[in-house]
Amino acid sequence: MGVDHSLASVKRIQSMAVRAAGGNYVAHRQVGNLVYLSGQISMRDDGHLFCGQVGVDLSVSEGAQAARVCMENLFVALLAAVDGNWDRIVSCVRLTGYVNSQAPFADGPKVINGASDLVVEVLGPNGEHARSAVGVSALPRNAAVEVEAIFEVRA
């Protein structure tokens, strides 16, 4: 199943610019047919950052929106890794989502669904993936969410 280029989400992702890495690392690294994507925080392309702790400063719904933004940023990095060719993307293997929260917050999986839902929206059944959702006490720039991913690609 190919990517539906008429989807608003696909058009949006294609219009976004790749962000420079914020430190001594790369945004993506390919090993064989797997692309490992460095974590992306919940910063929109207009510079708005979803920040603070989910469950305190943001609702679960806002956290899910933040996770979706992370996934948009991951798709931008993935497209850079495959030279802009959506047809080289085979599947999403794994997502790991980090939610800025404090105990006893237990809705981290609901937050990371924002990222998971976008992957399945864009890739269909090939977007189904393994996943972890982890609550953490802080993230870079006080971001609400950070997500990292592994994708299978064609040569």
Side-chain angles (χ1 to χ4, degrees):
M1 176 180 182
V3 171
D4 181 354
H5 295 277
S6 68
L7 286 172
S9 54
V10 171
K11 289 179 181 179
R12 175 169 166 62
I13 291 162
Q14 290 176 157
S15 74
M16 295 170 61
V18 177
R19 278 204 172 81
N24 188 15
Y25 63 92
V26 293
H28 59 84
R29 173 65 121 204
Q30 185 168 344
V31 177
N33 65 338
L34 297 178
V35 173
Y36 295 80
L37 297 169
S38 296
Q40 293 285 332
I41 62 172
S42 48
M43 182 178 289
R44 293 191 317 218
D45 58 332
D46 65 3
H48 172 79
L49 176 65
F50 286 88
C51 61
Q53 292 190 316
V54 181
V56 175
D57 305 306
L58 288 89
S59 68
V60 170
S61 176
E62 290 168 318
Q65 290 172 15
R68 184 179 178 95
V69 167
C70 295
M71 195 64 237
E72 289 175 346
N73 293 332
L74 285 163
F75 269 122
V76 171
L78 178 61
L79 281 176
V82 297
D83 301 318
N85 185 350
W86 286 97
D87 293 332
R88 287 189 53 206
I89 302 169
V90 175
S91 68
C92 182
V93 176
R94 179 173 174 76
L95 296 182
T96 304
Y98 304 94
V99 180
N100 185 350
S101 58
Q102 58 183 277
F105 185 76
D107 287 332
K110 291 179 184 176
V111 171
I112 301 305
N113 281 344
S116 293
D117 291 349
L118 180 58
V119 176
V120 173
E121 177 184 325
V122 171
L123 298 180
N126 292 342
E128 294 176 357
H129 52 273
R131 187 185 86 180
S132 295
V134 182
V136 297
S137 62
L139 287 169
R141 300 185 68 181
N142 196 31
V145 180
E146 181 173 350
V147 179
E148 61 185 28
I150 303 169
F151 280 84
E152 179 186 11
V153 299
R154 291 182 184 86

